[in-house]
Amino acid sequence: MRHRKELLGFTPAHAESLAGLRAIALAEVDGLVEEFCRRQLAVPAIRALIGDRDTILRLGAAMRAYVLRMFEGSYDIGYANSRLRVGQVHARLGVAPNLYIAALHMLESLVEERIGKTPCPALHKLFLLDLQFAFDAYVHGLSGELARTRDEIRHHSQALERAFEERMAEALRDADTDPLSGLRSRRGFEAVFAREWEIALATGVDLTIAVLDLDGFKRINDSKGHLEGDRVIQVVGQVIAAARRSADFAFRIGGDEFCLILPMTGRREATAACERLRARIGEALGGEVTISYGLAALRGSGAAMPRDLLAEADRALYRMKAAPGPARGGALLRVAAKVPA
């Protein structure tokens, strides 16, 4: 407060001269406030903000206290706080700074005319001090508003980003899911297979791949139509999804062709799993459609690349599909070579 007064050259002598005008201020304040309100209401922009009777009455009472406070002779932190509150009220009402400055200039003219009687340097300096406080209130309010706006923008941006990520994840899930069987589609197969291949090589754990094909599916399509064929695919997908372990990956990679990637699984365990699956599918479809499968295990395989292991499983599948009667339904292709280091 002291620094502000020093910047304006407002001295104790100025404060004393203003205090000496208090008696005149008390006598003139009511007429001065009435004239001030009348002139303010003549401005359309101000009348739009404070045109109702209750607001005008509150404005008159506030202005009376404001004018009398100017002539108390004490301009300490209490005075500063009262002036800051005035600026805050005007900012909340939506009074633009240019309107506030014009109103303050009008008030200064009326005070000089009715109370000071002549131009009063002390009065002018005090009005400039008041203007500083008012602008502090405006700037503080704008800073708070800007901070709130930044927060709102940041929160909105984060919400949009989350929504975008969720939509993208949903779109990727949709693209990676076969709509008929409910299993993962061929689109995601190669990436998953390559990843599990690398893990198996790096850790030395087992990895087995199973290729499954439906026996009798073409007959269903030809004799009962494609809607029944679609139902068969749906049932097979449901059975596979229910039977697979949480660590396994199941895909529909063609019309009636499916594939299982079985991490940490050796030949015997994979064969047993496929036999259980074959039995469940036969039961679910009343024996009209069964499966043949071909297995290829990385450990003991000669496969140098993931596609080599897949090709081995395919060859095992077709060997078993070509096998007569009871031999059909499962196969394991064994290759003597060691797992690549």
Side-chain angles (χ1 to χ4, degrees):
M1 184 66 181
R2 180 174 59 83
H3 181 62
R4 290 175 184 267
K5 289 190 286 188
E6 287 176 353
L7 287 174
L8 293 172
F10 189 88
T11 66
H14 291 120
E16 186 178 347
S17 69
L18 289 171
L21 297 172
R22 183 163 180 79
I24 301 174
L26 284 169
E28 296 286 343
V29 66
D30 291 329
L32 185 152
V33 169
E34 182 179 349
E35 178 62 17
F36 175 79
C37 289
R38 186 188 67 77
R39 293 188 186 184
Q40 285 290 284
L41 291 173
V43 180
I46 294 177
R47 188 169 61 251
L49 292 170
I50 58 173
D52 62 280
R53 177 177 173 77
D54 288 341
T55 303
I56 293 170
L57 290 174
R58 287 197 299 273
L59 173 64
M63 287 306 302
R64 189 178 191 281
Y66 183 96
V67 171
L68 292 178
R69 186 71 175 83
M70 296 175 67
F71 298 97
E72 288 184 356
S74 175
Y75 308 101
D76 53 11
I77 191 66
Y79 183 87
N81 287 334
S82 69
R83 279 1 192 193
L84 284 170
R85 284 194 294 273
V86 170
Q88 289 167 352
V89 169
H90 281 77
R92 282 199 300 271
L93 287 173
V95 178
N98 63 320
L99 293 177
Y100 184 85
I101 292 171
L104 200 63
H105 175 65
M106 180 186 295
L107 180 61
E108 182 179 3
S109 299
L110 286 171
V111 170
E112 283 190 348
E113 177 186 326
R114 291 173 175 260
I115 299 175
K117 306 302 181 183
T118 59
C120 179
L123 193 59
H124 182 64
K125 290 177 184 293
L126 188 61
F127 270 106
L128 289 177
L129 187 65
D130 287 0
L131 188 59
Q132 285 186 11
F133 292 129
F135 267 89
D136 281 353
Y138 271 101
V139 170
H140 179 74
L142 287 174
S143 298
E145 187 64 30
L146 285 173
R148 287 190 293 273
T149 301
R150 282 197 301 269
D151 288 342
E152 289 174 3
I153 291 172
R154 185 175 67 254
H155 293 324
H156 185 60
S157 176
Q158 290 171 345
L160 286 176
E161 186 175 346
R162 286 194 298 270
F164 176 75
E165 290 173 352
E166 290 170 1
R167 292 289 180 87
M168 285 297 295
E170 184 179 348
L172 289 173
R173 285 195 300 270
D174 290 344
D176 195 34
T177 302
D178 172 54
L180 192 56
S181 67
L183 303 178
R184 300 181 74 168
S185 66
R186 181 63 183 256
R187 179 181 179 276
F189 168 74
E190 292 184 2
V192 173
F193 190 21
R195 183 190 67 209
E196 295 303 318
W197 169 278
E198 293 295 335
I199 292 173
L201 286 181
T203 60
V205 300
D206 290 321
L207 175 66
T208 300
I209 184 170
V211 179
L212 300 84
D213 187 83
L214 301 185
D215 300 317
F217 182 70
K218 185 176 184 303
R219 183 178 65 254
I220 293 291
N221 266 341
D222 292 344
S223 63
K224 295 186 178 181
H226 289 285
L227 288 178
E228 179 62 18
D230 288 349
R231 189 188 72 82
V232 168
I233 296 295
Q234 290 172 345
V235 170
V236 171
Q238 291 166 3
V239 172
I240 292 175
R244 74 177 183 86
R245 302 169 305 178
S246 60
D248 299 337
F249 302 91
F251 304 85
R252 181 188 178 204
I253 58 175
D256 63 339
E257 190 172 8
F258 298 82
C259 186
L260 297 175
I261 298 174
L262 309 170
M264 298 177 291
T265 305
R267 295 185 176 103
R268 288 185 180 181
E269 190 180 356
T271 301
C274 287
E275 284 297 328
R276 288 192 299 270
L277 190 58
R278 182 168 65 127
R280 291 182 184 182
I281 290 174
E283 182 181 352
L285 294 172
E288 286 189 287
V289 175
T290 57
I291 65 167
S292 293
Y293 61 87
L295 302 177
L298 178 58
R299 188 172 297 278
S301 166
M305 298 287 288
R307 62 173 175 270
D308 300 328
L309 197 67
L310 180 61
E312 289 184 6
D314 273 332
R315 287 196 295 272
L317 169 66
Y318 287 111
R319 283 176 53 195
M320 291 307 105
K321 285 185 75 71
R328 180 178 299 173
L332 174 64
L333 182 65
R334 290 186 173 89
V335 182
K338 294 182 179 180
V339 178

